Amino acid sequence: MSTFALHTSSVDATRALGEALATVVRGGDLIVLAGDLGAGKTALTQGLGRGLGIDDAITSPTYTLAHQHQGELRLHHLDVYRFEASAEILDVGLFELLDDSEAVTVIEWGDAIMSSLPAQLLEVQLELGDGDDDRIISLRLVGEEWAARRRALGEAVAPWTLEAEA
Ligand code: ADP
Ligand code: MG
């Protein structure tokens, strides 16, 4: 399994990283965002949206559960922090969203429902670093679809890379 260890030192850098990720995503992709409140999950999604040519303001879909935005691809943006049971996954139509081959699906707190998710995904884990604006960000490529993009992904995130492991 491939991982990349990254670092950003501002919210704008995390947005720029998200924008860089847009160069390697394809329709049908799933990105799981893990990390505590304030870690930067929504900031990263804002950058991804910008990279996909989405003009809407992207905010955390905490109360509505899922937001849709249209750019070069659609973006389905979910926050499952408040999900209590798998019934809510069905309520929000998660599996239909994941079947949308013209969309990228981003799930904040998605690690909490990992066992319900497909086996092809990019997991982005954000953690607080030493300074207030430092974030340690790790990418984990799960499944062949992502493994095949390892090199392209590594190039895209090179400006923020601390180390890469095979
Ligand atoms: P989450 O969705 O994980 O709860 P948000 O993206 O909504 O987090 O908020 C992140 C907060 O942390 C914002 O207030 C942002 O300005 C701040 N911040 C400071 N440094 C960074 C950084 N390097 N990356 C992302 N956010 C940062
Ligand atoms: Mg958020």
Side-chain angles (χ1 to χ4, degrees):
M1 178 157 340
S2 287
T3 62
F4 290 98
L6 314 176
H7 168 255
T8 66
S9 49
S10 69
V11 64
D12 284 341
T14 296
R15 291 195 184 109
L17 168 62
E19 189 170 1
L21 290 178
T23 64
V24 297
V25 298
R26 298 181 194 146
D29 278 349
L30 170 60
I31 300 178
V32 165
L33 302 183
D36 289 340
L37 203 65
K41 301 181 294 300
T42 299
L44 187 105
T45 310
Q46 288 165 344
L48 178 72
R50 187 167 70 196
L52 294 174
I54 291 165
D55 296 326
D56 310 346
I58 293 176
T59 57
S60 228
T62 309
Y63 297 101
T64 46
L65 303 178
H67 288 164
Q68 272 87 43
H69 304 279
Q70 186 66 50
E72 287 149 34
L73 292 169
R74 257 187 301 286
L75 173 65
H76 298 302
H77 181 200
L78 284 77
D79 184 324
V80 299
Y81 182 61
R82 291 169 56 258
F83 277 33
E84 275 158 27
S86 54
E88 282 194 80
I89 294 174
L90 299 176
D91 274 357
V92 80
L94 176 60
F95 299 111
E96 287 84 345
L97 299 182
L98 293 174
D99 269 348
D100 184 350
S101 61
E102 313 265 294
V104 179
T105 300
V106 172
I107 310 181
E108 297 194 32
W109 300 99
D111 50 317
I113 59 163
M114 199 65 101
S115 60
S116 301
L117 296 176
Q120 308 279 341
L121 58 87
L122 178 68
E123 182 178 21
V124 183
Q125 166 98 45
L126 300 102
E127 292 168 56
L128 302 186
D130 290 339
D132 286 350
D133 293 345
D134 289 320
R135 299 293 186 272
I136 303 299
I137 302 174
S138 64
L139 307 184
R140 193 165 67 92
L141 289 68
V142 181
E144 288 166 17
E145 287 177 19
W146 282 99
R149 279 179 268 174
R150 183 178 189 286
R151 180 189 286 264
L153 186 64
E155 285 171 8
V157 303
W160 304 278
T161 300
L162 292 172
E163 60 192 77
E165 293 160 23

